[in-house]
Amino acid sequence: MMRERVQGSVSRFAWGVALSIAGLGLACGNGGASSAAEDANGGSASFQSTACERDGRKDIYTAGLAKQNAGVRVAVVEANPSPPRKGANTMTLEVTDASGKPLDGASVVVTPWMPDHAHGSALAPLATSVGAGRYAVSKLYFPMAGLWQITVSVQPPGLATEDVTFNFCFDG
Ligand SMILES: [Cu+2]
C-alpha cells in the first residue's frame, strides 16, 4: 500500500515537470527542449544559479563595454536600465574607427536576435546620431528572457559595412 502511494506521487510530479517544460516550449515558438529546460531551472528556487549565470556565451555589461571589428569600434557608453534587461531599453553607443576617431555620419543599424529561438524583436531599434561619434538607440525591446545578440552594423560614409555583436543575457 505504502509503496503504491509513493509511486503515484512520483508519477504526478514527473507529469507536472513535463507539462511545465512543454508549456515553455510552446511559449518560445521555436525553442528547443534543452533551452526550455534551462528556463524551467532558472525559474526554480531549488537551483542556486540562474540560466543567465550559467550561460558562458554572455558579455557582462559595464558602461564602456566595447567590441571591435577591423575598422570599427563600438562601445556601449550608457544603458537605461543599467545593466540592460528584458523589456524596453535605450542605449548610447560610441562609434569610432580603429584609431579612436569618432565616426559621425555613419549608417548605424541595430538588430536584436535570439539565437536559441531564431527570432528577433517586434520593434526595429532606431539609432540617431547625437554628435561626437555617439548614437542614441531607442526602441530597443527584448520581449523575452534568454540570450540576445545585439548586432550593430556600421557603414561609415563611402566605406564598407562592418558588424560588431554584443551578447546580453536576461533572466525573467
Ligand atoms: Cu525567444
Side-chain angles (χ1 to χ4, degrees):
M1 284 298 279
M2 189 60 191
R3 186 159 155 254
E4 275 176 28
R5 236 176 289 148
V6 168
Q7 281 177 340
S9 150
V10 166
S11 167
R12 273 193 301 278
F13 174 75
W15 267 110
V17 169
L19 288 172
S20 304
I21 291 173
L24 281 167
L26 286 173
C28 284
N30 201 21
S34 65
S35 63
E38 247 184 35
D39 289 347
N41 292 348
S44 165
S46 65
F47 287 82
Q48 292 189 334
S49 63
T50 67
C52 282
E53 282 168 350
R54 292 191 302 274
D55 196 323
R57 300 168 296 174
K58 67 183 181 293
D59 297 322
I60 306 291
Y61 173 78
T62 53
L65 176 68
K67 300 270 181 159
Q68 186 162 344
N69 200 328
V72 167
R73 180 181 185 273
V74 178
V76 183
V77 292
E78 190 181 16
N80 189 11
S82 176
R85 59 175 175 252
K86 184 182 138 182
N89 291 255
T90 62
M91 285 182 187
T92 303
L93 305 178
E94 186 176 72
V95 181
T96 59
D97 67 13
S99 71
K101 177 173 159 259
L103 284 175
D104 284 316
S107 161
V108 176
V109 176
V110 179
T111 307
W113 184 252
M114 272 200 113
D116 294 339
H117 306 160
H119 67 74
S121 173
L123 286 186
L126 187 64
T128 307
S129 174
V130 293
R134 294 191 168 201
Y135 295 79
V137 183
S138 59
K139 297 187 178 179
L140 192 55
Y141 180 66
F142 309 113
M144 63 186 284
L147 187 84
W148 284 84
Q149 295 176 331
I150 296 120
T151 297
V152 183
S153 300
V154 178
Q155 185 179 23
L159 296 177
T161 300
E162 291 192 41
D163 292 349
V164 301
T165 299
F166 296 90
N167 301 285
F168 291 133
C169 191
F170 311 123
D171 285 309

